[in-house]
Amino acid sequence: QMKAAENHAEHESYELKWAGERDADEHKRQMDAERRESFAFRNAEGSRIRNLEGQMKADENHTEHESYELKWAGERDAQEYKKQMAQE
């Protein structure tokens, strides 16, 4: 009967060990999944920010181009006005 109790205790010890190992494996899988999700989020967020920065730069370039167009149109108008004044 002493041997049976020792075997039972040893079996319970192994069961607890295996349960702990399963818990550790599950925790590791969960942490790996969270890490992958974090990478995916950061990648998507980085892509969104790069797209936004690209759009802002394109808008800035467009605004700058329009500004030059207006400046050149004003210069042409001034030259045309000077020509008219010289003819009169």
Side-chain angles (χ1 to χ4, degrees):
Q1 192 161 24
M2 189 75 130
K3 185 71 173 166
E6 287 176 13
N7 284 343
H8 182 70
E10 184 178 358
H11 178 74
E12 281 188 18
S13 175
Y14 280 122
E15 287 290 335
L16 289 172
K17 177 183 177 238
W18 295 329
E21 290 172 353
R22 283 190 302 270
D23 287 347
D25 288 343
E26 178 60 30
H27 179 71
K28 186 176 184 302
R29 277 193 294 275
Q30 183 179 4
M31 296 306 291
D32 288 345
E34 288 176 9
R35 186 168 185 245
R36 283 190 302 275
E37 288 173 9
S38 176
F39 284 145
F41 172 78
R42 284 185 279 168
N43 188 28
E45 186 66 9
S47 177
R48 185 187 70 79
I49 289 171
R50 285 188 299 278
N51 288 340
L52 180 61
E53 288 173 344
Q55 184 62 45
M56 289 171 60
K57 183 67 175 172
D59 291 346
E60 181 182 316
N61 288 342
H62 180 72
T63 301
E64 183 178 8
H65 177 76
E66 283 184 342
S67 176
Y68 278 117
E69 288 288 339
L70 290 171
K71 176 186 173 208
W72 296 328
E75 289 172 353
R76 284 191 303 272
D77 288 348
Q79 288 174 352
E80 190 64 34
Y81 179 74
K82 283 181 183 178
K83 282 183 188 176
Q84 285 180 353
M85 289 286 123
Q87 287 175 358
E88 290 179 4

